[in-house]
Amino acid sequence: MPPFAPEIDWTTAGRVLTAEQKAFYEKNGFLIIRNMVPRYELERYKKRFQSICERVDVPVNMTVMRDISIAKSEFVSGEKAITKVQDFQEDPVLFDYCKYPAVVDVVKDLIGKPSDTMMAMHTMLINKPPDSGSLTSRHPMHQDLHYFPFRPADYICCAWTAMERVNRANGCLVVVPGTHKGDLKVHEYPKWEGGVNKAYFGIQDYDPSMPRLHVEMEAGDTVFFHPLLIHGSGANKTDGFRKAISCHYANDNLCHYIDVRGTTQENVRVEVIDIAKKKMSKYGLEPTDMEYAEIWKLRGRPVNGTRANL
């Protein structure tokens, strides 16, 4: 097996992380930092999310999603109707999360050096709804790398911040420690009786006997994890919504695009391109042939430095 992230010295302290914290991430593929994002910032993000739900100044390239169980309901509207917003790189309030210095400093310790350019590649604010009973609020066990046409995986990292208390009752993250050192698995849509949300791919041969850890968090706690780490989340069995905000970062000095055509990522490539073409048609644009990497180039934004490879 090749060495893990050889550009990083895992035996010494980083700019903000201790040597012990770095060693934990190297071994387990995730790291939790408590009280990282202050509540006043989280309140800003919540208020902006609420205004997006009211269709105030929504960027054209932002994706606003409903849970499959309420997607066609005429009786659910506003914040209760929206379960996720993606691609908020053009939204100045939400993108402040991606640029938040404390978060970026940890990311740099995990996937690069202080001088490296970090790219925000994928952004989400998740508003997990109370489950309708069909368990559609679950997210199947998966690896985020399935969605990404760039490598190396070791220089990609997600920051996922709880915007309120997140526990087993409302569907906290579930991780399988150490799986970040394995391979990218085959992902397909799970065959759930209640249906599955768009792009919620899951590992086809996932072994439920693998030891899992439920990541319970308080508002402002942040978990950083590797894109090969197997993870998912349970159903929200409470009456409230469970909010979290996240950003996937990539080291622009070390990462590059790859062609995923004909690989196990073909299914998500085709689906994302189809979604992009439908969005173009919605806004009166003529859909054209496009490469998967081109879509990600439009999504990506540097949080520091000068953009180069991505």
Side-chain angles (χ1 to χ4, degrees):
M1 180 181 293
F4 178 77
E7 295 285 338
I8 311 295
D9 181 355
W10 297 104
T11 64
T12 62
R15 185 180 180 187
V16 295
L17 296 179
T18 66
E20 290 76 18
Q21 287 173 317
K22 288 174 63 179
F24 185 92
Y25 181 88
E26 190 275 336
K27 177 182 179 182
N28 295 284
F30 72 96
L31 177 68
I32 303 170
I33 306 292
R34 304 293 181 183
N35 300 311
M36 168 144 283
V37 181
R39 289 181 181 266
Y40 65 83
E41 291 289 355
L42 301 179
E43 287 303 316
R44 287 181 64 228
Y45 309 149
K46 284 182 182 180
K47 288 180 180 178
R48 177 56 187 137
F49 174 69
Q50 290 165 357
S51 67
I52 290 170
C53 294
E54 295 165 3
R55 302 181 182 180
V56 176
D57 298 327
V58 180
V60 170
N61 54 3
M62 179 181 285
T63 301
V64 181
M65 302 174 64
R66 287 179 170 222
D67 186 88
I68 188 174
S69 66
I70 59 176
K72 298 180 180 179
S73 174
E74 298 178 1
F75 305 103
V76 182
S77 61
E79 187 175 357
K80 292 183 178 180
I82 307 304
T83 58
K84 183 186 294 185
V85 296
Q86 292 191 144
D87 304 326
F88 56 67
Q89 65 273 5
E90 299 297 337
D91 190 278
V93 175
L94 295 184
F95 194 69
D96 275 351
Y97 169 76
C98 304
K99 297 187 297 181
Y100 194 71
V103 173
V104 175
D105 284 346
V106 172
V107 169
K108 286 186 175 184
D109 273 356
L110 295 175
I111 64 173
K113 302 187 294 291
S115 60
D116 288 346
T117 296
M118 296 294 145
M119 292 287 295
M121 298 300 294
H122 184 231
T123 54
M124 291 193 301
L125 193 154
I126 306 155
N127 188 43
K128 185 190 279 282
D131 197 87
S132 63
S134 58
L135 299 179
T136 58
S137 66
R138 292 176 295 174
H139 199 135
M141 300 299 281
H142 65 284
Q143 297 163 298
D144 289 339
L145 192 66
H146 179 67
Y147 299 89
F148 302 154
F150 42 91
R151 301 290 190 278
D154 291 347
Y155 303 108
I156 304 167
C157 178
C158 180
W160 193 102
T161 298
M163 297 176 69
E164 55 209 341
R165 178 174 292 175
V166 174
N167 53 29
R168 294 184 68 166
N170 63 11
C172 65
L173 286 182
V174 180
V175 302
V176 184
T179 49
H180 65 303
K181 294 187 178 181
D183 298 323
L184 179 60
K185 308 295 185 183
V186 175
H187 288 61
E188 300 286 352
Y189 276 116
K191 296 177 176 59
W192 289 347
E193 184 177 341
V196 62
N197 285 301
K198 194 75 169 174
Y200 275 34
F201 290 96
I203 295 173
Q204 193 172 37
D205 61 350
Y206 172 69
D207 179 2
S209 69
M210 288 192 291
R212 302 185 299 172
L213 175 69
H214 290 80
V215 184
E216 297 195 318
M217 305 163 70
E218 298 294 332
D221 292 351
T222 303
V223 58
F224 299 84
F225 59 92
H226 190 281
L228 279 171
L229 183 75
I230 295 175
H231 67 288
S233 64
N236 181 359
K237 298 178 181 178
T238 71
D239 294 330
F241 284 72
R242 188 221 71 185
K243 291 182 178 63
I245 189 168
S246 72
C247 177
H248 278 90
Y249 299 85
N251 186 324
D252 189 53
N253 295 67
L254 301 174
C255 290
H256 57 274
Y257 287 105
I258 64 168
D259 188 352
V260 301
R261 287 177 294 184
T263 71
T264 59
Q265 294 178 254
E266 178 71 10
N267 54 3
V268 70
R269 183 190 78 87
V270 170
E271 185 160 305
V272 170
I273 289 175
D274 181 62
I275 292 171
K277 288 182 176 180
K278 288 179 179 178
K279 181 173 285 191
M280 290 176 68
S281 296
K282 178 181 178 181
Y283 289 100
L285 302 174
E286 185 67 28
T288 59
D289 290 336
M290 60 184 73
E291 295 297 331
Y292 193 38
E294 292 297 325
I295 296 173
W296 284 93
K297 287 179 183 178
L298 292 173
R299 283 174 157 171
R301 292 291 183 279
V303 298
N304 70 289
T306 302
R307 184 176 190 169
N309 294 326
L310 298 175

